[in-house]
Amino acid sequence: MVLRKGATAAAAAGVVAVGFIGLVTFGTYAASGTPQRQGNAAGLSPGTVPAAYQGPIEQWGRLCPDLSPPLLAAQLYQESGFDPRARSGVGAEGLAQFMPGTWAAYGTDGNSDGRKDPWEPLDAIASAATFDCALAAFVAKVPGDRQSNMLAAYNAGPGAVTKYQGVPPYRETQGYVRNILATSRSFAAPVAPVEVSAQSAGAIYFAQGKLGTPYLWGGDGLASQNGRFDCSGLTRAAFESVGIVLPRVANDQWYAGPHPSRDQLRPGDLVFWATDLTDPRSIHHVGIYVGGGYMINAPHTGAVIRYDKIDTKEYIGATRVTSDAAQALPNRNADGGVIAPSRPGDPDSAPTPAPGTPGPAAPGSPAPSALPARVAQAAPAAGPAAATATAAGPAGSGQTPAKN
């Protein structure tokens, strides 16, 4: 992919100039700081969830009007990073991070094999949707945004949502709701052209200044590293220069905004490569698009940061970075696993009221008999709608391997 001829390199440089003009021509829109609500009919953007999970998430994400496939996908990603082996230190299990007591009540046979197994991804997807919809029904009369109240109930318990008549004043819960609503846009299939970000030009300007710099695996551009970068280190630094903090690894940066199609690419979009084009967990490389089919790329050991074509093997797609989606992405632990959101009431996480708002020592929970026995809407054919249960919600951290 090296541009060896001077004429080709000059053409690539011309692409950058055209790219900046294009940013002005197409309009420079600030990245939205307000998450867009997705309707129940909203579908998933291609490549945003592992192929084996796409059909079930599309199906179960329409279990009730307050849920949608992108919202369910965003919730599962926040909980486990789509790692079906995720286990938390407090006992939460599987893709949806259910505690055993909650699973006993809401576990659903999503793959129709006669068993309800929290480690089985299709069962976990069905159960997360079932629990979401049962909670949505329980807090349906609480004022405010219904999706926000449903998510808050999943994190803090429906008793807390009822007590505070909306999202309770816990940092954990407010962050949980905000982050899932923000990242749901990253999973939604675009229904209109994706807006261009005003920060893109600045990110390209930063990356241009690093052309010719030797590549370094794990490089963040530190003085101790002689200012060298790897692929995701370069993209992270480029956007940090314009005030947007991205995660460190490429397959997390994939979720930092909506996904324009190939014919909608604009300068400043992040472009990605994966070993398995049906599974975003296999994303291993990222660059910054500059227009005309070219990117600024930190390719591999022994090479320098340079212009390369994007239309090569393993190209999976692009992301148009937004500040709200970038801020909402989960962190990873030392083993590379996604650190799932904490919940008020966890043994290792005391509830933290937001500044200036009083709160009880722990969120309230209704007695099991107070929860709806069944979800009002009909379930997909793969399993039952819901069962009577406790109000405890899942929590924990996954163990997805990190990739650069």
Side-chain angles (χ1 to χ4, degrees):
M1 297 197 298
V2 181
L3 302 181
R4 292 186 174 87
K5 296 183 180 180
T8 308
V15 163
V16 178
V18 171
F20 280 113
I21 294 171
L23 281 173
V24 177
T25 302
F26 289 110
T28 53
Y29 299 93
S32 172
T34 304
Q36 294 183 354
R37 293 292 189 274
Q38 301 295 337
N40 182 264
L44 294 172
S45 184
T48 53
V49 302
Y53 304 162
Q54 181 161 346
I57 291 174
E58 292 272 13
Q59 177 188 25
W60 287 94
R62 296 183 173 90
L63 178 61
C64 63
D66 297 314
L67 195 59
S68 71
L71 193 71
L72 180 59
Q75 186 177 36
L76 293 169
Y77 180 68
Q78 290 282 343
E79 292 288 350
S80 68
F82 298 124
D83 180 7
R85 302 161 299 172
R87 183 196 298 271
S88 79
V90 296
E93 300 172 339
L95 195 74
Q97 290 290 274
F98 269 86
M99 295 296 289
T102 311
W103 181 265
Y106 283 91
T108 301
D109 182 12
N111 61 357
S112 301
D113 67 352
R115 299 173 62 244
K116 301 174 184 179
D117 182 0
W119 303 107
E120 163 54 49
L122 303 190
D123 289 359
I125 291 167
S127 301
T130 296
F131 191 38
D132 275 332
C133 291
L135 293 169
F138 185 85
V139 300
K141 295 183 179 180
V142 175
D145 181 72
R146 292 174 62 94
Q147 285 186 336
S148 296
N149 289 340
M150 175 186 72
L151 293 171
Y154 195 99
N155 181 258
V161 176
T162 302
K163 173 183 177 65
Y164 287 102
Q165 288 294 282
V167 179
Y170 307 128
R171 287 192 181 95
E172 298 91 342
T173 303
Q174 292 178 350
Y176 185 83
V177 172
R178 180 180 61 251
N179 291 346
I180 291 176
L181 291 176
T183 51
S184 68
R185 188 183 178 195
S186 301
F187 289 92
V191 295
V194 181
E195 292 181 345
V196 178
S197 167
Q199 291 96 328
S200 297
I204 293 175
Y205 180 80
F206 178 93
Q208 274 188 304
K210 305 304 175 184
L211 289 167
T213 302
Y215 175 96
L216 176 67
W217 173 260
D220 291 305
L222 302 176
S224 61
Q225 300 169 329
N226 295 321
R228 294 178 292 170
F229 296 90
D230 65 8
C231 64
S232 56
L234 176 64
T235 53
R236 188 175 191 271
F239 276 91
E240 190 170 10
S241 75
V242 293
I244 297 176
V245 179
L246 293 173
R248 180 58 180 84
V249 296
N251 60 352
D252 285 335
Q253 292 180 7
W254 171 246
Y255 294 107
H259 305 284
S261 60
R262 175 64 181 83
D263 62 344
Q264 291 182 351
L265 283 180
R266 297 291 181 265
D269 290 344
L270 295 182
V271 283
F272 295 85
W273 283 260
T275 54
D276 181 351
L277 299 185
T278 69
D279 191 343
R281 293 173 299 183
S282 72
I283 288 174
H284 61 83
H285 193 69
V286 59
I288 300 178
Y289 188 64
V290 295
Y294 285 87
M295 65 174 167
I296 297 176
N297 185 30
H300 54 74
T301 300
V304 299
I305 296 173
R306 66 198 187 196
Y307 296 114
D308 278 328
K309 293 181 179 180
I310 71 164
D311 292 314
T312 60
K313 185 180 179 181
E314 298 186 350
Y315 174 75
I316 190 173
T319 296
R320 188 154 300 160
V321 174
T322 65
S323 57
D324 59 307
Q327 291 171 5
L329 294 174
N331 295 316
R332 291 185 179 271
N333 58 31
D335 296 325
V338 163
I339 301 173
S342 60
R343 4 184 304 314
D346 279 349
D348 58 352
S349 175
T352 310
T357 55
S365 297
S369 60
L371 282 172
R374 298 189 66 81
V375 181
Q377 290 72 25
T388 332
T390 66
S397 62
Q399 297 173 355
T400 305
K403 301 178 182 67
N404 286 318

